[in-house]
């Protein structure tokens, strides 16, 4: 019987503004790219009566839909399996919860026989796998708020816990995770970001540059206030000669910031929304003169490990980054970047102008940044994770 690298995600959708979902998909995609037979499992929300028939045989790996591949920019090796979630599930009572269905029926009967290793950010799924004596990799990206069960974290089948920063690693240890079983690793970028797309990049410049502006500053990511979007808009107002383009965000977020831009009579900021197919984001980043990574200070700045930062590096485009704790170790790196103060639109604007003046755009990108970025691919991240798993337990 074929054994799989199982990545379980509690929820996946084809909606913008879902960083944790993107993380799950790209981790699984990288494992598949490395040659592991990988299945990404997630619940399928449905009220269809026909869905009940799938309860009899719920584990059916298949290629993801074209819409899925375009949204997440996955390659061809990844498979997905959608677990039926009938209408009566999670309507009240422990016996009809999805956790019960997953741990008492789906996993032990239908998934376990096909599983070589489990990788997940879902603690319930991780516990279930460990109790079923399956090698398990668990990820926790936020502060831990309750103690871990000793019988789980000390089990030989609980291989490693992955966090994204030292401060979160310490939080896990404080709540009972054995220090030798928790490490922090950076996020990564998809290999497609290394491919040069000069024609597509030039097409973006022709589309985005307006009113005889010659320089393009691009932001890619969620449109949350704590991400520094308000500061970025204020910085744009101080640089009317520079065209700004922001990608990402939900429809409501785009609408909110478009209203702010209109109310302030700012005419050099374009909101592009969620770009599809997602592969087009590569050429947007390569089209820019400068890529901007703003961020407010505060708790959210202490443990972020933003995917866009590594995508920016891989693009070879000069970066303006805010000085927040998780990124400071990159300040002396080989990549082409300048650093500014958080919560300071003027400092951000000055930094953007400095980069434009100092590092002229190169169609081929800056090789220093590209070479430095290679170590942060999602595939390299998976290889590091697998180094904590004995070879005999790997898929």
């Amino acid at each position: 019987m074929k054994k799989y690298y199982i990545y379980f995600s509690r929820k996946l959708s084809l909606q913008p503004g879902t960083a944790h979902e993107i993380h799950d998909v790209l981790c699984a995609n990288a494992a598949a790219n490395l040659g592991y037979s990988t299945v990404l499992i997630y619940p399928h929300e449905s009220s269809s009566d026909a869905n009940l028939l799938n309860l009899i045989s719920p584990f059916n790996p298949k290629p993801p839909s074209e819409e899925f591949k375009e949204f997440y920019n996955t390659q061809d090796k990844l498979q997905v399996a959608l677990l039926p979630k009938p209408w009566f599930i999670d309507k009240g009572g422990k016996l009809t919860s999805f956790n019960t269905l997953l741990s008492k029926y789906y996993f032990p009967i239908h998934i376990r026989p096909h599983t070589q290793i489990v990788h997940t950010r879902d603690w319930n799924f991780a516990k279930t796998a460990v109790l079923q004596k399956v090698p398990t990799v668990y990820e926790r990206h936020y502060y831990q708020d309750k103690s871990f069960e000793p019988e789980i974290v000390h089990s030989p089948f609980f291989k490693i816990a992955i966090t994204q920063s030292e401060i979160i690693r310490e939080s896990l240890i404080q709540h009972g995770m054995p220090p030798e079983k928790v490490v922090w690793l950076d996020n990564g970028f998809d290999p497609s970001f290394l491919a040069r797309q000069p024609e597509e990049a030039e097409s973006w410049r022709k589309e985005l540059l307006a009113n005889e502006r010659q320089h393009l500053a691009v932001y890619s990511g969620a449109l949350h206030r704590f991400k520094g979007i308000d500061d970025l808009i204020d910085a744009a107002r101080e640089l009317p000669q520079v065209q700004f383009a922001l990608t990402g965000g939900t429809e409501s977020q785009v609408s909110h910031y478009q209203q702010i831009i209109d109310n302030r009579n700012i005419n050099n900021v374009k909101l592009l929304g969620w770009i599809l197919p997602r592969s087009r984001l590569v050429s947007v980043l390569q089209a820019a003169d400068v890529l901007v990574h703003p961020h407010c200070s505060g708790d959210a700045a202490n443990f972020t490990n933003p995917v866009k930062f590594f995508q920016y590096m891989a693009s070879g485009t000069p970066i303006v980054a805010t000085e927040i704790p998780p990124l400071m170790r990159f300040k002396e790196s080989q990549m082409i970047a300048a650093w500014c103060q958080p919560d300071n639109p003027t400092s951000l604007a000055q930094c953007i102008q400095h980069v434009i003046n100092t590092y002229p755009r190169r169609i081929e990108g800056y090789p220093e940044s590209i070479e430095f970025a290679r170590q942060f691919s999602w595939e390299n991240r998976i290889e590091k994770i697998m180094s904590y798993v004995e070879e005999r337990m790997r898929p």
Side-chain angles (χ1 to χ4, degrees):
M1 183 179 294
K2 190 171 185 177
K3 300 282 189 175
Y4 292 100
Y5 185 122
I6 297 293
Y7 196 110
F8 175 77
S9 182
R10 173 61 60 168
K11 180 182 178 182
L12 286 183
S13 66
L14 300 182
Q15 299 295 325
T18 51
H20 63 283
E21 297 176 18
I22 294 170
H23 174 277
D24 289 353
V25 174
L26 295 183
C27 277
N29 182 66
N33 287 344
L34 287 172
Y36 297 124
S37 296
T38 306
V39 180
L40 174 65
I41 298 179
Y42 58 99
H44 179 45
E45 306 278 350
S46 175
S47 59
S48 170
D49 290 338
N51 196 40
L52 294 175
L53 299 176
N54 295 328
L55 288 170
I56 300 173
S57 180
F59 183 71
N60 296 293
K62 61 182 180 180
S65 67
E66 288 302 315
E67 184 182 15
F68 183 100
K69 290 193 286 187
E70 287 189 356
F71 188 88
Y72 288 109
N73 193 26
T74 60
Q75 284 74 57
D76 294 331
K77 296 181 179 180
L78 178 67
Q79 296 187 78
V80 298
L82 282 65
L83 299 180
K85 189 177 180 181
W87 64 269
F88 58 83
I89 293 297
D90 287 339
K91 297 300 183 182
K94 184 177 181 180
L95 292 178
T96 58
S97 74
F98 185 76
N99 280 345
T100 300
L101 181 65
L102 187 64
S103 62
K104 303 299 183 182
Y105 177 66
Y106 281 155
F107 190 85
I109 297 175
H110 297 283
I111 301 173
R112 172 67 181 90
H114 302 278
T115 303
Q116 180 63 34
I117 194 167
V118 158
H119 187 172
T120 185
R121 294 192 308 115
D122 187 89
W123 181 242
N124 181 71
F125 195 85
K127 289 194 299 181
T128 299
V130 170
L131 292 173
Q132 291 286 323
K133 298 184 178 181
V134 175
T136 300
V137 173
Y138 172 63
E139 299 218 19
R140 175 74 182 185
H141 299 171
Y142 302 101
Y143 291 104
Q144 185 66 16
D145 53 7
K146 60 182 178 180
S147 296
F148 291 106
E149 296 93 325
E151 66 274 18
I152 301 298
V153 296
H154 289 283
S155 167
F157 294 98
F158 187 91
K159 307 313 299 182
I160 197 70
I162 308 297
T163 75
Q164 296 179 328
S165 66
E166 180 59 28
I167 193 169
I168 301 301
R169 177 180 179 272
E170 292 172 357
S171 172
L172 268 60
I173 293 172
Q174 290 169 3
H175 286 82
M177 186 69 69
E180 69 276 10
K181 283 194 173 186
V182 57
V183 298
W184 71 267
L185 296 174
D186 287 303
N187 280 320
F189 67 89
D190 185 270
S192 64
F193 283 86
L194 292 172
R196 304 309 299 177
Q197 299 184 14
E199 293 83 7
E200 294 88 343
E202 184 59 31
S203 178
W204 276 114
R205 289 182 69 83
K206 290 179 180 178
E207 176 182 339
L208 296 174
L209 288 170
N211 298 324
E212 299 184 348
R213 298 188 183 99
Q214 301 297 313
H215 299 295
L216 177 64
V218 169
Y219 167 86
S220 174
L223 301 183
H224 297 297
R225 183 180 180 85
F226 72 88
K227 296 284 187 180
I229 304 305
D230 295 75
D231 291 342
L232 181 57
I233 291 173
D234 287 339
R237 184 164 52 179
E238 296 188 30
L239 296 170
Q241 75 282 9
V242 177
Q243 180 65 57
F244 286 74
L246 282 61
T247 82
T250 63
E251 288 186 11
S252 62
Q253 289 170 338
V254 171
S255 176
H256 168 72
Y257 278 108
Q258 187 62 62
Q259 190 64 52
I260 290 175
I261 291 167
D262 293 342
N263 290 343
R264 298 182 185 179
N265 295 316
I266 300 172
N267 64 8
N268 64 329
V269 177
K270 292 184 179 180
L271 301 176
L272 305 182
W274 192 266
I275 294 175
L276 289 175
R278 201 60 180 157
S279 57
R280 295 180 68 215
L281 180 61
V282 175
S283 54
V284 176
L285 302 188
Q286 293 178 12
D289 294 88
V290 57
L291 298 171
V292 189
H293 188 294
H295 205 290
C296 296
S297 59
D299 287 342
N302 292 329
F303 61 86
T304 183
N305 197 276
V307 171
K308 63 174 171 285
F309 187 72
F310 303 102
Q311 294 174 341
Y312 282 10
M313 275 196 277
S315 75
T317 304
I319 301 169
V320 166
T322 304
E323 294 177 332
I324 55 176
L327 300 185
M328 294 312 295
R329 70 186 191 283
F330 294 107
K331 196 170 182 179
E332 303 302 324
S333 71
Q334 300 173 6
M335 67 177 180
I336 303 302
W339 300 81
C340 65
Q341 302 169 9
D343 314 314
N344 190 330
T346 298
S347 173
L348 180 60
Q350 291 173 345
C351 207
I352 292 170
Q353 188 62 63
H354 169 75
V355 168
I356 289 173
N357 294 341
T358 308
Y359 302 105
R361 180 174 178 268
R362 294 180 180 178
I363 295 175
E364 72 280 10
Y366 280 82
E368 303 96 317
S369 294
I370 295 172
E371 288 304 311
F372 182 73
R374 291 184 186 277
Q375 63 188 298
F376 299 107
S377 71
W378 286 110
E379 286 73 15
N380 282 348
R381 188 179 190 272
I382 292 294
E383 287 182 333
K384 290 177 182 177
I385 291 172
M386 286 295 100
S387 71
Y388 294 96
V389 179
E390 297 93 327
E391 189 169 349
R392 63 183 176 85
M393 291 186 171
R394 298 176 195 172

